[in-house]
Amino acid sequence: MTTLEVPTDGLFGLANLPYGVYSVSGGQPRVATRYGDYVVDLAVLLDDDTFDSPSINRFMAQGRQRWVDVREQIASLVTGDILAAAVHTLDEVTLHLPIEVADYVDFYASQYHAANLGKLFRPDNPEPLLPNWKHLPVSYHGRSSSIVVSGTGIVRPNGQRKGPMDPVPVFGPSTRLDIEAELGFVVGTESAMAEPIPVEEAENHIFGAVLFNDWSARDIQAWEYVPLGPHLGKSFASTISPWVVPLLALQAARIPTPTQNPEPLPYLRMDEPWGLDIDVAVEWNGQVVSRPPYAAMYWSPAQMLAHLTVNGAPTSVGDLFASGTISGPRKEQRGAFIELTWGGAEPVNVAGERRIFLEDGDEVVLTATAPGADGTRIGFGEARGRILSAT
Amino acid sequence: MTTLEVPTDGLFGLANLPYGVYSVSGGQPRVATRYGDYVVDLAVLLDDDTFDSPSINRFMAQGRQRWVDVREQIASLVTGDILAAAVHTLDEVTLHLPIEVADYVDFYASQYHAANLGKLFRPDNPEPLLPNWKHLPVSYHGRSSSIVVSGTGIVRPNGQRKGPMDPVPVFGPSTRLDIEAELGFVVGTESAMAEPIPVEEAENHIFGAVLFNDWSARDIQAWEYVPLGPHLGKSFASTISPWVVPLLALQAARIPTPTQNPEPLPYLRMDEPWGLDIDVAVEWNGQVVSRPPYAAMYWSPAQMLAHLTVNGAPTSVGDLFASGTISGPRKEQRGAFIELTWGGAEPVNVAGERRIFLEDGDEVVLTATAPGADGTRIGFGEARGRILSAT
């Protein structure tokens, strides 16, 4: 038996207890929690086969009461004597994608991001937001198979692009490779066809949240996206953080969203505060270039889930929906480089170089923290990716 | 033992031998082929556990040489004495979704459909096709979880819509519920991230084809789709036929696509004929209202797969990509009611009623046939769906 010494002021204390999937050399991936810098095997800790699994999907499917009960059990057990076989340190393990992703939807829920892109792409239009934007959380489906865990190399995508001066499209590696700093929300329990999930039921379905980097090839996207939306400009890769922070750990982070005016249609109205006071940071080659505030997001995750099921679409265990780029009102709060550099007109200084988009070898790391229970703060770990040369 | 009497001029003879999943009362879903009106259990017929599975994914993953070998074995065995336990009749079984769907992408590959929608939605634009259309097969991701098998009831979706005269959006059941008659192509073998599938490798990845009805709520779609593309207007349901017709059965149907001018970029060029001479029929309440010719499709399935992976996106066993609405040059060849009725201006006569969009209780059935080996014709079965009232 062993006991774990974990500082009470760290980001992975008892107020966090996220879920992830790890393996040690030669072993099968299994479910763990992170406590301090320890990775604690939950099948061993809890003596429960649910966690002898390569994803957390089986556990999530058991529903919210189990999420509550298991969280209490973990908190109780990690502070006592535990089997040494349950314990690894972070540097001993490989972390894997924590969920088996079913359907993936990306939203567009930041008013500042949507308005910035409107000004950049439709400069002649006096109203930067499109007419539907304040009535519904605009969104689209993305590719599930290219969602990868933090640390996976991101190969620069090839594709078609056509600049305003090009007579015909050209093919080659993207020259405008960007990020989008987002949160992703993990759906833990399924819902049936023709049975929408109302806002007030969202807590029974949303299991937790991860950091999400929606890598974006702006040149490919600009040429392809009319009229059916983004596809190849996004589908090459998205990076998530390895630890799913439970919604149960985010109760202290819940705040009202910004005022929604006009008042949304009844199916989008909220009785509970569903905004999230999460501070995100974007590091570019080791330098923080932006601090997007999740608190500024206009549409909440409960509204996103209510909207995406209101037409009767069923959900599955492991569905993932992302927030869209998190941008705040100030320049240094913009979560995509196309905004941060204003389409390239205002390069940013990254370690002494003037930069606009990503170059091969660049590394981007997203991190985030939020208020936890009892005045603590909790961390999301990181979503890290380095750009590799195009094939 | 028993022998199967199957007419040589039917649509499900030896030239077809599609794959599906069936169950009998109380039993588990298992993989079968259809021979005439018999449903033949392949685990029993071939004495092979691969087919004791609720989807054909496990078999597909074994790769093209197995697809060739198993097809030959089936053709040999179904014409001899076979175990009675392998044989059911169509009316004894329930047919299920044949594949476990991974990522789903919908294309927009008919020049006539794209041009018709261009004229309807952008009447002031002298060029109905958008600038990118002839350079790349335009496409977007859709929802996998709402893909259902033929016969599943389609609940009319609720959603937001805003007509040109509405001061604010209204919420309620869609009033412009439409179909899109398409083919869906099933990906049988996976490909890795950053390893595109060139056109000449498509045969090793595309396992077969199904009928696909991309039910579409035009009012919801029109309000939501700018700038990120269709979502709720489509994601409530798509219907596929229960039998996957192998690409190996479609060799006699392969024809050149229409001339592609301008010549596509090199990664989209084809050395083999990849068009498909498949005749589709759309029945509305028992009356054939349209006969879309797949032969008229501009972009081929090999080009679609090459395009959707050219940026490095990985594919999974069970990926499904659909063609987009199949429309030919003539009015009676249009595969969506919005085109067939020219946005409602030209109602069609359906069993004595003037109709534009779908009413509750309406039933739509897609069927298709194609040339098979040795002068035969083969069938795709049907994709059937009846509209149920909104919840």
Side-chain angles (χ1 to χ4, degrees):
Chain A
M1 306 294 276
T2 187
T3 56
L4 307 182
E5 301 293 333
V6 170
T8 54
D9 61 348
L11 296 173
F12 288 89
L14 291 176
N16 194 340
L17 300 177
Y19 296 90
V21 170
Y22 82 101
S23 66
V24 287
S25 168
Q28 293 298 311
R30 294 157 63 91
V31 176
T33 190
R34 177 173 171 183
Y35 182 47
D37 288 340
Y38 298 104
V39 174
V40 183
D41 185 295
L42 291 179
V44 177
L45 182 77
L46 302 169
D47 190 21
D48 186 336
D49 282 350
T50 304
F51 303 96
D52 182 6
S53 177
S55 79
I56 67 173
N57 289 40
R58 194 195 298 176
F59 167 56
M60 292 195 298
Q62 294 173 343
R64 186 169 189 276
Q65 190 54 54
R66 267 282 281 176
W67 309 344
V68 171
D69 294 345
V70 164
R71 182 168 170 79
E72 286 175 6
Q73 289 169 33
I74 295 171
S76 164
L77 290 170
V78 292
T79 49
D81 290 337
I82 63 179
L83 286 171
V87 180
H88 305 274
T89 54
L90 264 182
D91 55 10
E92 289 172 347
V93 307
T94 301
L95 295 172
H96 303 272
L97 207 59
I99 55 174
E100 186 181 342
V101 182
D103 277 304
Y104 154 54
V105 169
D106 195 26
F107 282 86
Y108 192 51
S110 163
Q111 175 175 358
Y112 304 103
H113 172 67
N116 285 336
L117 291 200
K119 290 173 196 165
L120 284 166
F121 289 118
R122 299 179 298 273
D124 299 335
N125 197 327
E127 176 50 72
L129 291 179
L130 289 166
N132 57 13
W133 198 91
K134 286 201 166 182
H135 294 282
L136 58 88
V138 171
S139 55
Y140 67 103
H141 279 88
R143 191 159 192 85
S144 301
S145 70
S146 53
I147 296 174
V148 297
V149 73
S150 178
T152 306
I154 304 300
V155 178
R156 180 181 298 273
N158 288 306
Q160 291 193 28
R161 60 175 183 274
K162 183 175 175 298
M165 297 301 138
D166 294 326
V168 292
V170 295
F171 181 85
S174 170
T175 60
R176 291 166 69 86
L177 188 55
D178 197 355
I179 66 153
E180 296 198 336
E182 310 189 8
L183 279 192
F185 298 95
V186 178
V187 175
T189 54
E190 65 186 11
S191 60
M193 187 168 262
E195 294 185 9
I197 300 173
V199 163
E200 53 270 26
E201 287 290 325
E203 255 179 359
N204 295 326
H205 292 269
I206 300 175
F207 177 79
V210 292
L211 290 160
F212 192 94
N213 187 344
D214 178 25
W215 305 95
S216 298
R218 301 296 179 195
D219 42 0
I220 296 172
Q221 183 183 351
W223 171 231
E224 73 176 351
Y225 90 106
V226 177
L228 300 184
H231 180 174
L232 280 284
K234 304 277 195 170
S235 66
F236 56 97
S238 312
T239 298
I240 68 172
S241 52
W243 298 106
V244 181
V245 176
L247 190 62
L248 293 167
L250 291 169
Q251 296 310 302
R254 287 177 60 175
I255 54 172
T257 57
T259 302
Q260 298 183 335
N261 183 12
E263 187 180 25
L265 281 160
Y267 78 93
L268 291 171
R269 292 178 195 159
M270 299 175 287
D271 289 332
E272 302 284 332
W274 266 104
L276 290 166
D277 182 21
I278 299 171
D279 294 338
V280 179
V282 179
E283 278 181 36
W284 189 349
N285 293 342
Q287 176 181 327
V288 173
V289 294
S290 175
R291 295 189 182 277
Y294 198 86
M297 298 298 270
Y298 191 87
W299 296 106
S300 77
Q303 292 175 312
M304 296 177 201
L305 187 58
H307 182 67
L308 80 78
T309 60
V310 76
N311 67 347
T315 60
S316 308
V317 176
D319 278 359
L320 184 67
F321 60 95
S323 61
T325 305
I326 310 161
S327 288
R330 300 202 308 274
K331 174 169 179 173
E332 67 275 17
Q333 295 178 322
R334 296 176 188 159
F337 297 156
I338 194 169
E339 289 173 79
L340 197 62
T341 67
W342 209 248
E346 303 170 14
V348 290
N349 185 317
V350 178
E353 295 181 31
R354 283 164 56 88
R355 302 294 297 280
I356 299 171
F357 290 110
L358 290 163
E359 297 185 3
D360 291 351
D362 277 4
E363 188 171 61
V364 173
V365 181
L366 309 182
T367 60
T369 66
D374 305 320
T376 60
R377 282 196 82 77
I378 61 177
F380 279 73
E382 62 180 33
R384 176 185 296 266
R386 184 182 295 278
I387 305 303
L388 308 178
S389 310
T391 49
Chain B
M1 306 295 276
T2 187
T3 56
L4 306 182
E5 300 295 333
V6 171
T8 54
D9 61 348
L11 295 173
F12 288 89
L14 290 177
N16 195 339
L17 299 176
Y19 295 90
V21 170
Y22 82 102
S23 66
V24 287
S25 168
Q28 293 297 311
R30 295 157 62 91
V31 177
T33 191
R34 177 173 171 184
Y35 181 47
D37 287 341
Y38 297 105
V39 174
V40 182
D41 186 296
L42 291 179
V44 177
L45 182 77
L46 302 170
D47 190 20
D48 187 335
D49 282 351
T50 304
F51 302 96
D52 182 5
S53 177
S55 79
I56 67 172
N57 289 41
R58 194 195 297 176
F59 167 57
M60 292 195 299
Q62 295 173 342
R64 187 170 189 275
Q65 190 54 53
R66 266 283 279 175
W67 308 345
V68 171
D69 294 344
V70 165
R71 183 169 168 77
E72 286 175 6
Q73 289 169 34
I74 295 171
S76 165
L77 290 170
V78 292
T79 48
D81 291 336
I82 63 179
L83 286 171
V87 180
H88 304 275
T89 54
L90 264 181
D91 54 10
E92 290 172 349
V93 306
T94 301
L95 295 172
H96 302 273
L97 207 59
I99 55 174
E100 187 181 344
V101 182
D103 276 305
Y104 154 54
V105 169
D106 195 25
F107 282 86
Y108 191 51
S110 162
Q111 176 175 357
Y112 303 103
H113 172 67
N116 284 337
L117 291 199
K119 290 173 196 165
L120 284 166
F121 289 118
R122 298 179 300 273
D124 299 335
N125 198 326
E127 177 49 71
L129 291 178
L130 290 165
N132 58 13
W133 199 91
K134 287 202 165 182
H135 293 282
L136 58 87
V138 170
S139 54
Y140 68 103
H141 280 86
R143 192 159 192 85
S144 300
S145 70
S146 53
I147 296 174
V148 297
V149 73
S150 179
T152 306
I154 304 301
V155 179
R156 181 181 298 273
N158 287 306
Q160 290 193 30
R161 61 176 184 273
K162 185 176 173 296
M165 297 300 139
D166 294 328
V168 293
V170 296
F171 180 84
S174 170
T175 60
R176 292 167 67 85
L177 187 55
D178 197 355
I179 67 153
E180 295 198 337
E182 310 189 7
L183 279 192
F185 298 95
V186 178
V187 174
T189 54
E190 66 185 11
S191 61
M193 188 168 261
E195 294 185 10
I197 300 173
V199 163
E200 53 271 24
E201 288 289 326
E203 256 179 356
N204 296 326
H205 292 269
I206 301 175
F207 177 79
V210 291
L211 290 160
F212 192 95
N213 187 344
D214 179 26
W215 306 95
S216 297
R218 301 297 179 194
D219 41 0
I220 297 172
Q221 184 183 351
W223 171 231
E224 75 176 350
Y225 90 106
V226 177
L228 300 184
H231 180 175
L232 278 285
K234 305 276 195 171
S235 65
F236 56 98
S238 312
T239 299
I240 69 172
S241 51
W243 298 106
V244 181
V245 175
L247 189 63
L248 292 168
L250 291 168
Q251 296 311 302
R254 286 178 63 175
I255 53 173
T257 58
T259 301
Q260 297 182 335
N261 182 12
E263 187 179 26
L265 282 160
Y267 78 93
L268 291 171
R269 292 178 196 160
M270 300 175 287
D271 289 333
E272 302 284 331
W274 265 105
L276 291 166
D277 182 19
I278 298 171
D279 294 338
V280 178
V282 179
E283 277 179 37
W284 190 347
N285 293 344
Q287 175 181 328
V288 174
V289 294
S290 175
R291 295 189 181 276
Y294 199 86
M297 297 297 272
Y298 191 86
W299 295 105
S300 77
Q303 290 175 314
M304 296 177 200
L305 187 58
H307 183 67
L308 78 79
T309 60
V310 76
N311 68 345
T315 61
S316 308
V317 176
D319 278 0
L320 184 66
F321 58 97
S323 61
T325 304
I326 310 161
S327 288
R330 298 203 308 274
K331 176 169 177 173
E332 68 275 16
Q333 296 177 322
R334 294 174 188 160
F337 297 156
I338 194 169
E339 287 173 78
L340 197 62
T341 67
W342 208 247
E346 303 169 15
V348 290
N349 185 316
V350 178
E353 295 181 30
R354 283 162 58 87
R355 302 294 298 281
I356 298 171
F357 290 111
L358 289 163
E359 298 184 4
D360 290 354
D362 278 3
E363 188 171 61
V364 173
V365 181
L366 308 183
T367 60
T369 66
D374 305 321
T376 60
R377 283 195 82 77
I378 62 177
F380 280 72
E382 62 181 32
R384 175 186 297 267
R386 183 183 295 278
I387 305 304
L388 308 177
S389 310
T391 49

